[in-house]
Amino acid sequence: MQSKGFIKLIAVLLALACVYQLSFTFKTRGVEKQAAAYAAQFPLDQQGEAEQHYLDSVQNLPVYNLGFRKFTYKECKEKELNLGLDLKGGMNVMLEVQVEDVVKALAGDSQNDPAFIEAIGVANEAMKQGSSTDYISDFVKAYSRLSNGRPIAELFVSPDRKDITLESSDADVEKILKKETEAAIGASFNVLRSRIDHFGVTQPNILRLPNSHRILVELPGVKEPQRVRDLLQGTASLEFWTTYDANEIFPALSAADKLIKAELAQAPAAAPETAAAGTPAAEAEGLIAEVGAADSTATAETAVQEGNFDHSQNPLFAVLNPRFAGGASIGAAYKADMAAVNEYLAQPAVRELFPADIMFKWGVKGDDKIDGRFYLYAIKVSTPDGKAPLDGSVVTEATEQYAQRGATAEVSMTMNAEGTQEWSRMTGENIGKCIAIVLDGYVYSAPRVNSKIDKGQSQITGDFTIQEAKDLANVLNSGKVPAPAKIIQDTVVGPSLGQESINAGMISFVIAFILVLLYMGLFYKTAGWMSDVALLTNVFLLMGVLVSFGAVLTLPGIAGIVLTMGMAVDANVIIYERIKEELRGGKGLSLAIKDGFSKAYSAIIDGNLTTIITGIVLFIFGNGPVQGFATTLIIGIITSFFCAIFITRLLIEWIVGKWGHITFSRRWSENFLNNTRVDFIAKRKLAYGIAVALMVLSCVSFFARGLNLGAEFTGGRAYVIRFDKPVSAEEVRQNVEKAFSQFADADASSISSEVKQYGKENQMRIVTQYRYDDTSDEATSEVEQIIYDALKPLYSYDITFEQFRNTQTDANGILTADKIGPSIAKDMTWNAIYSVLFSLIAIGLYITFRFKRWQWASGATAALAFNALLIIGIFSMFYGLLPFNLEVNQAFIAAILTIIGYAINDTVVVFDRIREYLGLYPKRNLKETVNNAINSTLSRTINTSGTTLVTLLAIFFFGGETIRGFIFALIIGVVVGTAATIFLATPIAYDLMTKRAKTDVEK
C-alpha cells in the first residue's frame, strides 16, 4: 500500500482528536458525580436543587487542565456528547407563529372588513387542508377575489407605516406582509432563545425550521412540562425603564450588607446557601471547597480593594460583588448566587433601606469579561401605576449597523409618533443617566443618555460587536411581535424511561458487538480478528466524530451505531472474499492481498454512497430521533469505510511482514458457498410469481385492514402510562372509552381509543383522537384529566393528578406524552412519501450513472420498491397479532429508508461482478455470466446479511420496547432485500438487457 506512513499519521491524528473530544464527556461526568455526592448530604426533596446549585457554582471554574489550556465546567459541558430526549428525558416542542394574528395586527381596525374576514377564513381553510403553500399569497388572492379587485393596500395604510401607501400594488403589499411575517418569526425565535437560556436547562436546542413558520425546541431533563408550555407561549414583554445610578444606591447597599451581617450573627442557620460561602477547606468538598477556601483567606482590607469579600463579614457583598458596579448596575453575582441575592434583597428590613420606587432586575446573560457573572440593575419605577413608561409596541424598526467612526457596531431605533413623544420626555429628563431595555424581566442593555432625543430616531452605541448589535436589534424588534408562537406538537419523555432506554440500548450494543466480533473471528480466523480491531477503532472514531460535530445521541442513534457495526464488516467481507478468490486463482499472498483490495474498492464505494444518499434524505425529511439515527448512520459509514480500507490493510500487511503469512478462513469455512452452481435466472419466473402474490396479499391487507398509523400521521395525543401492578389492555380500554363517552362533544372516533401493552405488563400505550385538532394547553389538560380519572382506580394507591402527570416525583403515571396537531400530521405524511420517492429516484439515477445502463437501475429500483412495499404489507397484515407494537411512525419511515440504502449494497456488489465478468468474458452467454456473478458473490451476500441480522436480533430482543417495531422492520428488510437482490433485481435487469439485445438484433 502506497503512502503507508501518511495513513498511519492520519490514523494517529484522528485517534488523538477523538480522545480529545471524548475526554470532555468523561470530565463532565466526573464533576456531575461530585455534584451528586455533594447533594446527597441534603434531604431528599432538596437534593435536586442542591445538585444544580453545585453545578451553577462551578460552571465558570476551571475543572479540566490540559497543560496548554484550562477548561471551565461550562466549556466542557458544551463539548461533551449530547444525549437525546429519549435517553435523558425531557421535552420536544414544535411551535408555530400564527400568520393570521400577524396579518390582523398589521391591519389594525381594517381587520373588521367583511372581505378581510372572509379572505382570512379562506387562507385558514387552505392551511388546515394542507393545500396551502403560502398563507400570505392565499390571503392576498382571496381578498382580491372577494373584494372585487379592491387594492389590498387600503387595509394596511397607517400614519406609522411609510412602506405602504394607497398607490402600493397588491404585489408590493404581499412582499411587505411576507417580510413582516419573517420578522415576527425571527423575533419570536430570539424571545424563545432568551427564555430557554433562563429556564436552567442544560444543552437546550432551538432551531428555526426552514421554509416554514415553525420553531423546534428540545429541552433535555425538563421537570415541569406545563411550566415550559406556559413560558414558551407567553407574549413578549419589551419595556424601557429609567434607572438609578450605582453611586446613588451604594450607601443603601452597604447598609443592607451590615444589616444582613447582624441578622446572620443572631440566627446563623438562616443564611442562604451561596457559592462563595467561606467554609474551611477541610470541611468542604470538591470544587466548592476551592471557592470557599479562596474567599475565606481574604483580609478585609484586600476585600475592599480587590472585591473579595468574606461571607461572615460581608454576606451581601460576598455574593453581589460591588466591584463590578457602574452605570445602572449595582454589582454582579455568579449564577449560583443569584437566588441568595434575591432572598437577601427581598427581606422587609433590607427593602426599607432602599428608595420606595426601586426595583431590581438581572442582566440577561453572564459577562465573560467578569468570569460569567450576571449584572444586577437598579430600576426606577417612575409611573403611578408601576408600569414601564414605554413598551415595545412603539418601536417601528431597529437595525444593526457599523458606527461611523471606529470598528464597533451600533443599533439604530425608530419609534412611532406616540413613542417619539414619550421618548423625548424620558431622554430629556435623564441626560447622563441610563435607560434599561428590558425583555421578559431581564435587562438586555442599559445605554447612557447623552442628549435629549426628540425626533424618534435613536442610536444606541457601546462596545458592540456586529453580532451583539444584531442581537439587541432583534430584542427591540421583538416588541412588535403581535402574537406569541403556539405549540402545535410536543413530546414529553420521563427520566425513568430515558434511563431504561440507556440500559436497554447499552445491553443490546454490547451483545451485538460481541456477537459480530465472534462471528468475524470464527469465520475468517486471523484476518477476522484484524477486522475486529478495525471495528473497535471504527466505534471509537465514530463516537469521537459525533462529539466533535455536536451531534445528539438518541436511542435510534444507538441502533444506528449497532447497525453500522453490522454494515462495517460488509467491506471486510467483500475484501476477504476477493482475496480468497485471488488465492484460489494461484496468486501469491502479497499480490492476492493487493488485488483483493483494489478489486473490492468499486463495490464498497458504490454501496457506501448509495447508503449515504438515503441517510441524507432521512436527515432532511426526518426530525428529532430520526435525524439522530441518520447522523450516526452517515458518520458510521464514513468511519467504517476508512477503517475497512486503511486500518484493516495496515494490520494485515503488518502481520504478513512480521510472520510471513495470514489466514483468511478456517478449514470448515474455507469453501463456504464456494462451488455453488445454482441457475437463479431459470427460477426467475417462480420468483416473479411469488413476488406478485406477496404484493397482492399486501394490497388486500392494506385496503382491508389499513395500517396502524401513529399519532404523527393521524394527529392526536399518545401516552405511555405505567401502573404499579400488571393490568390488561382490555380493562384499560374499557375504562378510557367509558370516560370519554361521557363528554357531549366526543364523537365515535374520539371515544374509541387505541390501547396496547407497551413492554412490560404494567405499561400501556394509549392513543386518543379526542379534541385532536385543538392543540391548546387547556385541551391537553382536559385529556390528561379524563385519562387520569379513568385509570386512577387501577392503581393500588391514591396517586394524585400531579404525580400522574409528572414522573419526576412518582415512577408511575405518564412516562411519555405526544401531542401532534393536524397540520403537523399532514406535513409528516407528505414528508414520508417524498422521502421514500426521492430515495428511490436518487439511487436509480446513481446506478444509471455508475453502470451506464438504465436496465440495471430499473432492476435495482424495482427490487427496492418491492422490499419497501412488502414491509408495509407485513406491518398491515400483522399489527395487533404480534406481541409488540407495529405502528407506522417516523421511525418506521426511517427503517424503510435504511433498508433501501442497505439492500442496494447487495445489488451493487452483484452488478459490479456482472460488469467485471462482461469485461473479462465478452463472448460468454449473458445468462451464464449473470448466474456466475450471483454464485460467486453468494458467500459475501450471506455473510454480510448474517452479521447484520445478528446485530439486529440482539437489538430486537434486548434493545427495549421503544424501538422494537423499528428493528422488526429492519430485520424483515434485510431478509427480503437479500432475496430480492438475487431473485428480482438481477433477473429483471437480465430480462431488460435481453429484450434490448433482441431489439438491437431485429434492427
Side-chain angles (χ1 to χ4, degrees):
M1 183 172 66
Q2 297 179 343
S3 305
K4 191 181 297 185
F6 178 72
I7 297 298
K8 289 180 180 178
L9 176 63
I10 293 295
V12 170
L13 291 176
L14 277 174
L16 290 175
C18 291
V19 169
Y20 171 77
Q21 292 291 347
L22 291 170
S23 65
F24 292 100
T25 301
F26 290 109
K27 180 55 67 174
T28 55
R29 296 293 186 271
V31 174
E32 285 159 9
K33 284 182 179 179
Q34 292 178 15
Y38 167 79
Q41 58 189 313
F42 290 84
L44 186 62
D45 59 340
Q46 299 177 21
Q47 287 184 4
E49 184 178 347
E51 184 174 344
Q52 187 59 50
H53 174 83
Y54 182 102
L55 296 175
D56 288 341
S57 302
V58 303
Q59 69 170 337
N60 293 297
L61 294 178
V63 298
Y64 189 24
N65 187 357
L66 287 176
F68 61 88
R69 167 103 190 264
K70 293 181 179 179
F71 293 90
T72 65
Y73 171 71
K74 182 180 179 181
E75 290 172 325
C76 290
K77 196 72 179 170
E78 291 170 353
K79 294 177 180 291
E80 75 167 350
L81 179 63
N82 299 327
L83 296 180
L85 302 185
D86 52 355
L87 296 179
K88 195 173 184 179
M91 193 171 185
N92 178 303
V93 181
M94 182 86 73
L95 298 106
E96 185 172 55
V97 174
Q98 305 298 310
V99 184
E100 174 189 354
D101 293 338
V102 176
V103 175
K104 285 181 177 179
L106 294 172
D109 293 336
S110 298
Q111 63 181 282
N112 297 319
D113 181 276
F116 177 92
I117 295 172
E118 198 170 347
I120 285 288
V122 170
N124 286 342
E125 185 61 27
M127 183 70 73
K128 185 176 181 180
Q129 296 300 325
S131 59
S132 173
T133 55
D134 188 312
Y135 187 95
I136 297 295
S137 297
D138 291 342
F139 164 73
V140 172
K141 291 175 184 175
Y143 181 81
S144 178
R145 176 173 52 83
L146 295 167
S147 65
N148 297 317
R150 272 166 45 200
I152 199 170
E154 63 185 38
L155 293 173
F156 300 98
V157 170
S158 167
D160 296 326
R161 297 197 69 92
K162 298 179 181 179
D163 51 355
I164 298 180
T165 65
L166 291 173
E167 286 73 35
S168 299
S169 67
D170 284 4
D172 291 336
V173 174
E174 183 176 337
K175 289 180 182 177
I176 293 169
L177 292 179
K178 289 180 179 179
K179 179 182 175 183
E180 292 288 345
T181 301
E182 285 298 306
I185 298 168
S188 293
F189 178 85
N190 285 288
V191 169
L192 290 171
R193 184 173 60 182
S194 172
R195 289 173 176 175
I196 290 166
D197 286 343
H198 286 91
F199 196 74
V201 177
T202 57
Q203 298 173 310
N205 179 38
I206 176 169
L207 176 69
R208 181 178 170 186
L209 302 181
N211 304 318
S212 74
H213 307 132
R214 293 169 183 165
I215 299 169
L216 176 67
V217 178
E218 292 182 339
L219 304 172
V222 163
K223 299 178 181 179
E224 301 166 282
Q226 191 55 48
R227 185 183 162 210
V228 171
R229 296 185 185 106
D230 295 339
L231 180 77
L232 295 182
Q233 296 183 111
T235 304
S237 174
L238 177 66
E239 301 167 330
F240 297 87
W241 291 90
T242 55
T243 64
Y244 281 98
D245 276 346
N247 55 8
E248 295 179 277
I249 300 302
F250 187 77
L253 201 64
S254 181
D257 185 51
K258 294 176 181 177
L259 176 62
I260 294 168
K261 175 187 175 183
E263 289 183 349
L264 291 179
Q266 296 175 2
E273 181 189 6
T274 70
T279 52
E283 298 177 10
E285 296 181 3
L287 293 165
I288 285 193
E290 296 177 21
V291 182
D295 288 344
S296 64
T297 59
T299 63
E301 183 178 353
T302 306
V304 175
Q305 295 176 352
E306 300 183 3
N308 296 322
F309 296 91
D310 182 81
H311 185 270
S312 61
Q313 299 299 317
N314 303 98
L316 178 58
F317 290 161
V319 289
L320 181 65
N321 198 323
R323 177 189 174 192
F324 304 109
S329 168
I330 61 173
Y334 287 111
K335 183 179 180 181
D337 293 330
M338 289 166 65
V341 174
N342 291 340
E343 185 177 338
Y344 281 146
L345 296 179
Q347 292 179 14
V350 172
R351 194 70 184 81
E352 290 178 0
L353 298 173
F354 293 93
D357 60 353
I358 197 171
M359 180 169 57
F360 300 107
K361 289 188 181 294
W362 290 101
V364 67
K365 61 181 180 179
D367 190 338
D368 292 335
K369 296 176 183 177
I370 55 173
D371 205 19
R373 292 179 175 90
F374 288 73
Y375 288 111
L376 182 65
Y377 294 87
I379 305 297
K380 189 174 186 179
V381 182
S382 57
T383 57
D385 59 2
K387 295 182 179 180
L390 209 57
D391 62 36
S393 63
V394 302
V395 178
T396 58
E397 186 178 22
T399 57
E400 73 280 2
Q401 60 191 31
Y402 280 105
Q404 294 180 355
R405 296 180 181 179
T408 58
E410 62 183 25
V411 177
S412 175
M413 179 178 66
T414 306
M415 294 185 175
N416 61 19
E418 177 190 352
T420 297
Q421 185 177 357
E422 180 61 26
W423 189 240
S424 175
R425 184 195 65 79
M426 282 182 68
T427 55
E429 294 176 357
N430 290 277
I431 295 174
K433 292 189 175 183
C434 298
I435 291 182
I437 301 171
V438 180
L439 178 65
D440 288 338
Y442 291 94
V443 178
Y444 278 74
S445 182
R448 191 178 298 276
V449 179
N450 295 322
S451 61
K452 181 179 180 180
I453 303 170
D454 53 11
K455 294 184 179 179
Q457 182 77 32
S458 310
Q459 265 70 43
I460 303 174
T461 60
D463 191 19
F464 296 137
T465 64
I466 191 65
Q467 185 59 48
E468 289 169 340
K470 185 176 182 179
D471 290 342
L472 181 55
N474 286 332
V475 168
L476 294 169
N477 283 321
S478 68
K480 299 190 300 175
V481 179
K486 295 292 184 183
I487 293 176
I488 57 174
Q489 175 191 353
D490 74 51
T491 301
V492 180
V493 180
S496 58
L497 191 63
Q499 187 58 49
E500 290 173 7
S501 297
I502 292 176
N503 296 340
M506 291 308 299
I507 290 172
S508 66
F509 179 86
V510 171
I511 292 174
F513 199 65
I514 292 173
L515 289 175
V516 170
L517 296 180
L518 289 174
Y519 189 104
M520 291 299 293
L522 293 175
F523 197 92
Y524 291 105
K525 205 173 180 181
T526 309
W529 295 121
M530 292 304 99
S531 68
D532 288 347
V533 175
L535 192 58
L536 288 165
T537 307
N538 177 36
V539 174
F540 175 70
L541 291 179
L542 172 58
M543 298 302 292
V545 174
L546 282 174
V547 176
S548 62
F549 282 165
V552 177
L553 185 64
T554 61
L555 188 57
I558 292 178
I561 293 173
V562 178
L563 183 61
T564 298
M565 292 191 310
M567 295 172 69
V569 300
D570 179 40
N572 285 322
V573 169
I574 293 174
I575 293 167
Y576 292 169
E577 292 298 326
R578 257 349 262 250
I579 292 173
K580 286 163 68 176
E581 287 183 30
E582 301 300 322
L583 289 171
R584 283 193 293 267
K587 291 183 180 179
L589 181 59
S590 296
L591 184 59
I593 292 172
K594 179 183 176 182
D595 289 349
F597 271 91
S598 61
K599 290 182 178 180
Y601 285 158
S602 61
I604 293 171
I605 292 171
D606 287 337
N608 284 340
L609 281 176
T610 50
T611 308
I612 287 176
I613 288 172
T614 59
I616 292 171
V617 172
L618 196 57
F619 186 86
I620 293 172
F621 288 98
N623 56 37
V626 174
Q627 282 188 332
F629 173 78
T631 302
T632 54
L633 189 63
I634 293 170
I635 295 174
I637 290 167
I638 295 171
T639 56
S640 64
F641 177 81
F642 174 81
C643 291
I645 296 297
F646 299 113
I647 303 299
T648 304
R649 187 163 183 179
L650 282 174
L651 291 169
I652 288 175
E653 291 186 351
W654 173 72
I655 288 179
V656 172
K658 189 173 182 65
W659 285 285
H661 67 90
I662 187 172
T663 53
F664 290 89
S665 61
R666 297 180 184 275
R667 184 173 298 175
W668 60 269
S669 64
E670 185 173 357
N671 294 311
F672 177 69
L673 298 177
N674 184 37
N675 298 310
T676 56
R677 295 288 184 269
V678 180
D679 189 351
F680 292 103
I681 297 301
K683 297 176 171 57
R684 67 187 187 282
K685 291 184 179 179
L686 175 62
Y688 292 163
I690 294 173
V692 170
L694 289 173
M695 283 296 95
V696 169
L697 282 174
S698 297
C699 289
V700 170
S701 177
F702 181 79
F703 288 108
R705 302 190 76 219
L707 292 168
N708 179 25
L709 294 176
E712 293 102 319
F713 298 128
T714 62
R717 293 173 174 84
Y719 301 93
V720 174
I721 297 174
R722 176 181 290 164
F723 299 85
D724 63 328
K725 60 182 181 181
V727 293
S728 70
E730 186 58 35
E731 185 180 18
V732 172
R733 181 184 296 107
Q734 289 177 359
N735 283 26
V736 170
E737 291 183 356
K738 181 179 179 182
F740 279 117
S741 66
Q742 297 174 4
F743 290 83
D745 59 342
D747 56 24
S749 62
S750 299
I751 294 172
S752 178
S753 300
E754 179 188 321
V755 179
K756 291 182 179 177
Q757 183 175 321
Y758 193 82
K760 301 175 183 176
E761 292 182 349
N762 67 329
Q763 290 182 178
M764 293 290 162
R765 189 171 192 269
I766 300 173
V767 180
T768 176
Q769 296 252 294
Y770 178 71
R771 295 188 67 179
Y772 84 100
D773 55 346
D774 185 349
T775 57
S776 67
D777 291 344
E778 293 76 14
T780 298
S781 296
E782 180 186 349
V783 171
E784 291 177 356
Q785 182 69 54
I786 294 171
I787 294 175
Y788 165 73
D789 292 337
L791 302 182
K792 184 180 178 181
L794 301 181
Y795 287 87
S796 59
Y797 66 101
D798 187 20
I799 186 171
T800 65
F801 182 53
E802 283 306 312
Q803 289 174 322
F804 181 76
R805 296 182 76 183
N806 184 4
T807 54
Q808 294 286 341
T809 56
D810 194 303
N812 301 312
I814 297 175
L815 296 182
T816 69
D818 287 322
K819 175 181 71 177
I820 298 176
S823 61
I824 283 285
K826 289 184 189 305
D827 289 350
M828 286 186 172
T829 301
W830 283 110
N831 280 347
I833 295 171
Y834 290 150
S835 62
V836 174
L837 289 177
F838 285 163
S839 292
L840 291 173
I841 293 170
I843 288 175
L845 290 174
Y846 181 82
I847 296 297
T848 303
F849 169 76
R850 283 290 289 138
F851 292 93
K852 311 300 181 186
R853 294 189 182 187
W854 63 267
Q855 295 92 337
W856 300 33
S858 299
T861 306
L864 293 177
F866 168 78
N867 197 353
L869 292 172
L870 184 58
I871 295 173
I872 294 172
I874 289 173
F875 266 59
S876 172
M877 286 184 270
F878 291 101
Y879 81 83
L881 302 177
L882 295 178
F884 49 87
N885 191 23
L886 291 182
E887 183 179 279
V888 175
N889 50 25
Q890 283 281 294
F892 174 79
I893 301 302
I896 294 287
L897 292 175
T898 305
I899 285 304
I900 289 174
Y902 175 83
I904 196 66
N905 283 350
D906 281 337
T907 309
V908 164
V909 170
V910 175
F911 284 3
D912 187 70
R913 187 60 63 91
I914 295 173
R915 179 174 56 182
E916 180 185 339
Y917 281 3
L918 287 173
L920 292 173
Y921 315 108
K923 295 184 179 181
R924 268 189 190 174
N925 179 275
L926 181 61
K927 179 180 178 181
E928 182 183 357
T929 300
V930 171
N931 273 325
N932 287 342
I934 297 175
N935 280 288
S936 65
T937 56
L938 201 57
S939 176
R940 173 264 165 203
T941 299
I942 299 301
N943 272 316
T944 301
S945 299
T947 53
T948 307
L949 279 174
V950 162
T951 59
L952 290 175
L953 288 170
I955 309 173
F956 180 79
F957 288 111
F958 302 103
E961 185 66 27
T962 308
I963 58 172
R964 190 158 285 145
F966 169 69
I967 298 300
F968 179 73
L970 292 179
I971 291 172
I972 297 299
V974 169
V975 174
V976 174
T978 303
T981 290
I982 298 172
F983 295 104
L984 289 181
T986 310
I988 289 173
Y990 166 80
D991 283 337
L992 292 173
M993 291 166 68
T994 305
K995 185 177 181 181
R996 173 67 180 271
K998 288 180 180 178
T999 304
D1000 291 342
V1001 170
E1002 290 173 0
K1003 289 181 179 179

